[in-house]
Amino acid sequence: MKIKRMTLLGFLTLGILFWTGSIHISSQERSFDYDVLIKNGRVLDGSLRPSFKADVAVKDGRIISVARSISGKASKVIDAKGLYVTPGFVDLHSHVNGGMYFPENRACLNYLTQGVTTLIVGQCGRSAWPIFEKAEDLIKTWSEEGIGPHVALLVGHGDVREIVMGMEEREPTPEELEKMKALVKEAMEQGAYGFSTGLTYLPGTHAKTDEVIELVKMIAPYGGIYHTHTRNEKEKLIEAVKEAIEIAEKSNVPTHISHFKAIGYPNWGLVKEACALVEEARSKGLKITADQYPYRFHSGYPYQRLIPRSIWVGKEEIDKLETEDVQMIFDYLHDSELIELYKKITPHLPLSEHHQQFIDELPRRELVRYVSRSFISPSRFQGPANSRERMLFLRRMEDPEEAETIRTAVKKNIENEGGAGNIVIAICVEKDLEGKSLKYAASKKKKSVEDTAIELELMGARCVPLRMSEEDVEYIMKKDYVGTGSDGTSPFYGIGLTHIRSFSTFLHKIEKYALQRKTVSLAHVIRSQTSLPADIMNWDDRGWIKKGYMADVAVLDLNNIRTPTSLSNPHQYSKGVKYLLIKGELTIDNGKYNGKLPGQVLKLKK
């Protein structure tokens, strides 16, 4: 009995100790005035004012104080002496949703390491969610499983048109237009932030201006934003900007021009006239804005062959593998066989209800196209690695007259790209040429630039033409209505080639254009990446270092910014973000990602 009493006394004692300990911990937690206190930093608050010394206090996901000196206790104190405190960066134009669809990329680490806390996704006419799903499907998955940065979703015109009309080159019937309107409205009801077009891509290029206006009108009652990859960014840039302004005027919807630029050496300088058009429209009260990535080369895959396809295959009528050939092969299969094949290659497993319904309801022609496209792209079998095409090209080179025709065409193409000095060799078996110009390679090999290009092409080299001028890039950057948009992706780390903008846009812009070239002030760059995009998206609770604002905060070491991405190795994380808070929660701590996924899907408040 004595032993039992002692045992009972022991349990009671342990319980009391545990209870009092809990009380102590609980009261200790309550004694903290702040969750995070950032001390001694220089604040760039999102305005154009120079940096100022201040402390920033964060509690419950919000900034609750910005002052010269803040006292009190905090669960986490960050000494930001020698560092700069800015709002988290907002990417106005990205395609990260494709990679973030997969759990391994939910953190979107290539953006967190740039200081990005919010991304707008679903650009260039392709919805943020896969074509076979709904906005609510993606919102549900990301909300339940977690994401690194915040995201705002756009519904894409290309997907909407493809669902209703396939890839047909014609105007929609009244019934088809109503179906497209219904899909846009459905997406807005489910939380999309706006509508995007890719008017240079199929099927968007088939749409006339009136069709786009009618669909953009659908987002007006919700306060949505229209984002457009305009119909032309080359010789018809001015006409394309006029079309964007017309859509804004007739739909009464704020219109945002994506990756504002002029592509192609002959078109350099057109941006000045394009900007004048935007500024005239803005002076009349239209809300026209734009974004830009700070590089001279474009495309998600900027790597080009040194010999364009038209020159490589020539004008002779030879049989070449075409998309129609691939579709013809698959057209021999029954619908059920096509669907079963598709299930064996799609990464979207298991097929959701909406996905299965989408596949089942595809018309025969669209099913064949969709499945064959998922399997095979003819472009994979083109170029110098294709033994048949290689043999035919070399046979043409054996004919002196044809060889001279090829050399002349290659030389003209190089001139159209701005000359051999304007073409960078990105990937080459001769590693000492990577990062060098074609002009340098020709000089080293003691050959003409055209013969050097042909030699490198036969080695399988890839080049990157600098298709935008530095003067144009800087001219656009100085505009107070132009924000920053990476146009990047969230790729599988280390797999394939991608534009370096996916890993370095935001810190590169700070380092090169504010700190080194001093094209614009540091405050100007920070504003273009914080408060300006927040204003463009009509956000009144983020994008600033202000009391009451969302605690999306970056702490930057401007003396140690590093963007090691290169054309030969684009998969390199940037450095310089010392700390990153998303909704008040640390995600980058002393330069290292801590594994947290605090981001939210931002749904438009109707």
Side-chain angles (χ1 to χ4, degrees):
M1 183 66 71
K2 183 176 182 181
I3 293 174
K4 287 184 179 179
R5 282 199 299 268
M6 289 179 65
T7 302
L8 180 60
L9 181 62
F11 278 122
L12 287 171
T13 304
L14 286 171
I16 291 169
L17 287 171
F18 178 80
W19 181 73
T20 56
S22 298
I23 293 296
H24 173 69
I25 293 169
S26 178
S27 62
Q28 188 180 45
E29 286 177 349
R30 284 199 299 270
S31 70
F32 288 132
D33 301 294
Y34 320 110
D35 298 326
V36 180
L37 179 58
I38 304 170
K39 300 280 292 181
N40 308 315
R42 296 204 64 83
V43 172
L44 286 157
D45 62 1
S47 70
L48 290 175
R49 67 186 287 197
S51 65
F52 56 92
K53 191 174 183 302
D55 296 347
V56 178
V58 171
K59 192 172 181 64
D60 297 331
R62 296 276 174 178
I63 297 170
I64 64 168
S65 181
V66 181
R68 184 69 177 80
S69 180
I70 298 175
S71 59
K73 296 181 180 180
S75 178
K76 171 76 173 181
V77 177
I78 295 172
D79 184 1
K81 185 176 182 181
L83 306 177
Y84 285 75
V85 182
T86 77
F89 300 145
V90 178
D91 191 336
L92 278 164
H93 185 106
S94 80
H95 297 274
V96 301
N97 46 288
M100 286 179 68
Y101 190 87
F102 302 98
E104 68 174 285
N105 277 359
R106 293 279 161 76
C108 208
L109 189 55
N110 56 319
Y111 280 90
L112 296 183
T113 52
Q114 295 182 63
V116 175
T117 55
T118 307
L119 302 111
I120 293 86
V121 298
Q123 302 281 359
C124 298
R126 288 300 175 186
S127 298
W129 49 97
I131 193 169
F132 45 77
E133 291 190 353
K134 306 284 187 181
E136 62 186 2
D137 296 327
L138 191 63
I139 292 171
K140 182 176 185 292
T141 298
W142 282 359
S143 298
E144 291 177 354
E145 298 182 8
I147 51 177
H150 305 301
V151 294
L153 313 181
L154 302 178
V155 54
H157 167 253
D159 279 1
V160 167
R161 200 177 208 273
E162 185 174 352
I163 289 169
V164 175
M165 299 176 61
M167 305 299 279
E168 294 188 29
E169 185 178 357
R170 60 176 176 81
E171 293 185 48
T173 64
E175 293 76 18
E176 287 170 335
L177 184 59
E178 288 305 313
K179 287 180 181 178
M180 287 194 278
K181 286 182 177 181
L183 287 172
V184 174
K185 181 178 180 180
E186 175 188 77
M188 298 303 291
E189 288 288 337
Q190 292 177 4
Y193 240 94
F195 181 70
S196 78
T197 54
L199 300 178
T200 58
Y201 303 123
L202 293 173
T205 188
H206 297 330
K208 293 186 177 180
T209 306
D210 288 346
E211 174 187 323
V212 178
I213 291 170
E214 289 304 306
L215 294 175
V216 173
K217 283 180 179 179
M218 297 304 298
I219 71 174
Y222 300 88
I225 318 297
Y226 170 48
H227 292 244
T228 179
H229 178 137
T230 57
R231 202 174 292 274
N232 191 291
E233 297 177 324
K234 298 179 182 177
E235 71 283 350
K236 294 184 179 180
L237 172 66
I238 303 307
E239 292 91 329
V241 170
K242 286 180 179 178
E243 181 185 36
I245 293 170
E246 179 187 353
I247 292 168
E249 189 172 26
K250 291 183 177 178
S251 66
N252 196 30
V253 168
T255 294
H256 184 78
I257 298 173
S258 298
H259 37 61
F260 201 20
K261 59 185 178 292
I263 299 172
Y265 178 68
N267 307 310
W268 291 0
L270 281 179
V271 296
K272 293 180 180 178
E273 187 178 348
C275 286
L277 286 171
V278 170
E279 287 154 23
E280 181 184 5
R282 286 170 59 85
S283 71
K284 294 177 180 177
L286 292 178
K287 189 171 182 181
I288 311 287
T289 54
D291 63 63
Q292 171 201 52
Y293 51 81
Y295 298 97
R296 292 185 58 197
F297 48 98
H298 73 115
S299 175
Y301 182 85
Y303 303 87
Q304 305 293 317
R305 294 191 172 109
L306 285 153
I307 302 179
R309 181 122 185 103
S310 59
I311 301 172
W312 174 257
V313 299
K315 296 180 180 179
E316 293 183 15
E317 291 297 325
I318 60 171
D319 291 332
K320 299 184 288 288
L321 184 67
E322 304 287 356
T323 301
E324 291 75 16
D325 298 320
V326 176
Q327 291 182 9
M328 181 178 65
I329 297 169
F330 283 83
D331 200 24
Y332 282 99
L333 301 175
H334 297 295
D335 287 7
S336 59
E337 293 171 319
L338 286 167
I339 292 171
E340 285 306 308
L341 273 177
Y342 176 75
K343 288 180 178 179
K344 291 178 180 179
I345 64 160
T346 179
H348 304 290
L349 293 174
L351 263 61
S352 67
E353 180 183 348
H354 285 145
H355 193 167
Q356 184 69 61
Q357 182 181 0
F358 170 77
I359 294 293
D360 290 341
E361 293 180 355
L362 280 174
R364 169 70 187 179
R365 181 180 174 186
E366 288 300 310
L367 178 63
V368 171
R369 184 189 64 82
Y370 192 80
V371 175
S372 65
R373 186 180 62 180
S374 301
F375 268 86
I376 300 173
S377 170
S379 62
R380 297 179 187 176
F381 305 101
Q382 297 171 351
N386 182 306
S387 58
R388 185 172 188 274
E389 290 191 356
R390 187 183 188 97
M391 179 190 68
L392 291 169
F393 177 81
L394 290 173
R395 184 178 294 170
R396 289 167 58 215
M397 288 296 293
E398 290 171 359
D399 179 341
E401 186 176 339
E402 181 68 8
E404 187 57 32
T405 300
I406 290 172
R407 288 190 177 94
T408 300
V410 170
K411 183 178 180 180
K412 184 177 181 181
N413 179 70
I414 292 168
E415 290 171 353
N416 288 341
E417 294 288 8
N422 205 46
I423 298 174
V424 180
I425 299 167
I427 307 294
C428 186
V429 67
E430 296 180 5
K431 294 299 179 184
D432 61 316
L433 295 181
E434 289 187 343
K436 305 294 197 305
S437 70
L438 178 60
K439 182 178 180 180
Y440 170 89
S443 175
K444 183 178 180 184
K445 290 176 177 292
K446 296 181 172 54
K447 293 183 177 182
S448 67
V449 291
E450 55 267 32
D451 280 335
T452 302
I454 291 169
E455 179 182 332
L456 293 174
E457 176 73 9
L458 291 169
M459 292 180 188
R462 290 288 182 272
C463 71
V464 174
L466 304 179
R467 288 182 170 154
M468 285 87 80
S469 76
E470 189 67 69
E471 182 182 348
D472 283 359
V473 171
E474 295 190 357
Y475 185 84
I476 292 169
M477 188 178 294
K478 292 175 183 178
K479 299 300 181 180
D480 63 2
Y481 52 84
V482 176
T484 306
S486 70
D487 199 7
T489 64
S490 181
F492 297 119
Y493 186 65
I495 302 297
L497 294 170
T498 186
H499 197 299
I500 63 174
R501 63 195 182 197
S502 296
F503 286 85
S504 55
T505 293
F506 293 84
L507 296 187
H508 170 75
K509 185 174 181 180
I510 292 171
E511 181 182 32
K512 179 176 180 178
Y513 292 100
L515 303 181
Q516 294 177 359
R517 295 175 68 94
K518 301 190 185 302
T519 301
V520 288
S521 69
L522 179 59
H524 180 99
V525 172
I526 297 302
R527 174 183 174 273
S528 78
Q529 301 180 170
T530 57
S531 63
L532 175 60
D535 179 64
I536 288 169
M537 297 301 294
N538 286 330
W539 290 329
D540 58 5
D541 64 344
R542 65 193 69 224
W544 290 85
I545 300 293
K546 284 183 179 180
K547 181 179 179 181
Y549 275 63
M550 184 66 67
D552 296 338
V553 181
V555 181
L556 310 176
D557 184 354
L558 296 186
N559 293 321
N560 289 292
I561 288 179
R562 300 289 182 271
T563 53
T565 52
S566 68
L567 293 174
S568 58
N569 188 6
H571 293 260
Q572 299 287 313
Y573 294 122
S574 293
K575 299 183 185 301
V577 178
K578 197 77 171 176
Y579 300 93
L580 189 68
L581 278 71
I582 296 179
K583 208 175 60 176
E585 192 168 350
L586 270 173
T587 54
I588 301 289
D589 190 352
N590 198 26
K592 296 182 179 180
Y593 174 55
N594 61 16
K596 294 184 178 179
L597 300 171
Q600 292 181 309
V601 178
L602 305 178
K603 298 173 70 173
L604 183 61
K605 298 174 183 177
K606 301 179 182 63

